[in-house]
């Protein structure tokens, strides 16, 4: 899906699948919150396809991507033993 979403007119699927691929890289198993993060990505892909979102989805698509990014950050912070409630450093 990561490489084919755009080919079929679903570039948002490509972005979501890319995020999921990045999240899964290096993991042999998923447990607890990691499983929720992966399931959220799959649900997002399903929603984009079922709603026939054929572009980046505007503000809704951006919000969806940001929400998934927050879940990924929370999972990575938990893995690293960092407090996920701390503000993100400015970039």
């Amino acid at each position: 899906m990561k490489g084919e979403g755009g080919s079929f007119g679903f570039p948002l699927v490509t972005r979501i699948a890319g995020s999921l691929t990045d999240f899964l890289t290096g993991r042999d198993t998923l447990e607890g919150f990691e499983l929720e993060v992966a399931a959220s990505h799959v649900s997002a892909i399903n929603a984009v396809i079922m709603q026939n979102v054929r572009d980046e989805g505007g503000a809704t698509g951006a919000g969806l991507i940001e929400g998934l990014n927050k879940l990924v950050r929370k999972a990575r912070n938990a893995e690293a033993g960092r407090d996920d409630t701390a503000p993100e450093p400015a970039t």
Side-chain angles (χ1 to χ4, degrees):
M1 292 182 125
K2 178 182 171 187
E4 299 298 323
S7 298
F8 290 98
F10 292 98
L12 191 53
V13 167
T14 298
R15 290 187 63 197
I16 296 167
S19 173
L20 178 58
T21 299
D22 292 345
F23 179 69
L24 295 175
T25 298
R27 296 175 193 277
D28 294 326
T29 61
L30 297 175
E31 297 178 1
F33 187 65
E34 297 170 330
L35 204 53
E36 290 179 40
V37 172
S40 293
H41 280 78
V42 173
S43 294
I45 290 170
N46 187 48
V48 168
I49 293 170
M50 295 302 292
Q51 295 297 319
N52 200 29
V53 179
R54 294 265 178 190
D55 54 17
E56 291 291 335
T60 301
L64 181 62
I65 293 295
E66 181 55 31
L68 293 171
N69 288 342
K70 284 181 182 179
L71 290 175
V72 169
R73 279 192 303 270
K74 183 175 180 179
R76 289 193 174 139
N77 284 342
E79 290 169 1
R82 293 189 301 259
D83 180 3
D84 68 301
T85 61
E88 291 288 320
T91 56

